[in-house]
Amino acid sequence: MPPLPPRLLRALESFNSAHPWSHNAHYHPWLLRQLPRRFGRALDVGCGSGDLVRLLAARSTGGVEGIDSDPQIIARARELTPPGVSGVSGVSGVSGGPAVFAVVDARDGIPAGPYDVITCVAALHHLLFAETLTRFRGQLAPGGTLVVVGCAREEDAVDALLGAVSVALNLVVGWVKNRGRRAVARPVAMTAVTRPPEMTFAEVRREAIRVLPRVRPRRRLFWRYTLVWRAPLGRVAP
């Protein structure tokens, strides 16, 4: 797919600014369908404003920990989480309630498990891919579930086709979600710091399969891919 003409690109950016919606939140219902109806401890890496943490907390019996390297977005996550749901944590550990948030740079490591659920939405491309998946694998409890919604760099004809369809659907969804009105402000979840991905989907697939046996990464609309992996019931070595 050839690059969009600058004039058309500016028009699309203007429309999206007026009718914003979160591609990441779009995948939250799908993500929840990959998980048990009830589970113990959960960890959301790159939690942003905490939307997914709050959804996970409704199912968790052991508490949900949301971590992000951005202190400002963690502060917003705490503000947006009802007092009966959230606790407050320091950097070195998380405690105090069923849904808690901590300023943690996942590049330096993640809080110690084991976790029954680990999620990571649009954050893995900010981290060392294989090393981070290895950490996730090592912190999952036996039988635990890892769900990743990630971003990959467009490379081939399939990416281009999905991108073209996504551009069209993005306009429709943005119009419908905003009821045709100009938004006053972007959703809080869309204010986190972002950067473009470097790995292609082919590279993501190859490395994911190497680290997580039998995992099946899939390309998705809206410039995303997904992978779901369940830890064997026996002990998993880090």
Side-chain angles (χ1 to χ4, degrees):
M1 177 183 176
L4 295 174
R7 188 173 181 179
L8 177 57
L9 186 59
R10 287 194 296 271
L12 289 172
E13 290 175 347
S14 176
F15 181 92
N16 292 335
S17 295
H19 306 88
W21 63 282
S22 172
H23 298 146
N24 296 330
H26 171 78
Y27 281 99
H28 288 172
W30 171 87
L31 187 154
L32 292 172
R33 290 195 296 271
Q34 313 311 307
L35 303 176
R37 298 185 71 86
R38 286 288 177 186
F39 48 80
R41 289 182 72 197
L43 174 70
D44 184 33
V45 178
C47 66
S49 58
D51 292 349
L52 181 56
V53 170
R54 290 184 285 274
L55 293 174
L56 294 173
R59 295 192 183 187
S60 172
T61 60
V64 183
E65 303 165 23
I67 65 171
D68 201 291
S69 62
D70 184 347
Q72 291 185 329
I73 202 69
I74 285 292
R76 292 292 286 135
R78 289 172 176 155
E79 291 172 4
L80 293 168
T81 304
V85 175
S86 70
V88 177
S89 163
V91 173
S92 61
V94 183
S95 62
V100 296
F101 301 94
V103 178
V104 175
D105 191 334
R107 292 173 297 184
D108 300 326
I110 61 175
Y115 295 99
D116 297 290
V117 167
I118 297 178
T119 58
C120 184
V121 178
L124 192 52
H125 66 287
H126 291 268
L127 308 169
L128 294 175
F129 185 85
E131 179 180 311
T132 303
L133 286 187
T134 301
R135 286 175 178 167
F136 291 166
R137 184 189 69 194
Q139 297 297 342
L140 269 181
T145 304
L146 166 66
V147 186
V148 172
V149 178
C151 307
R153 176 169 59 85
E154 185 176 293
E155 178 192 37
D156 58 22
V158 176
D159 292 330
L161 177 60
L162 286 174
V165 174
S166 295
V167 167
L169 286 178
N170 189 68
L171 299 175
V172 174
V173 175
W175 181 265
V176 171
K177 283 185 176 291
N178 290 278
R179 301 179 181 180
R181 301 169 184 159
R182 177 178 289 272
V184 176
R186 292 187 301 165
V188 177
M190 297 178 65
T191 62
V193 177
T194 63
R195 71 177 179 85
E198 296 179 359
M199 294 178 69
T200 66
F201 178 75
E203 293 168 334
V204 165
R205 183 178 184 278
R206 182 174 61 250
E207 285 296 287
I209 291 173
R210 182 179 66 83
V211 176
L212 306 173
R214 298 179 300 281
V215 74
R216 297 179 65 184
R218 297 184 181 279
R219 287 188 248 220
R220 303 285 181 175
L221 290 169
F222 306 121
W223 306 279
R224 299 293 185 269
Y225 69 83
T226 61
L227 63 86
V228 181
W229 187 73
R230 291 177 175 84
L233 291 176
R235 176 175 288 277
V236 180

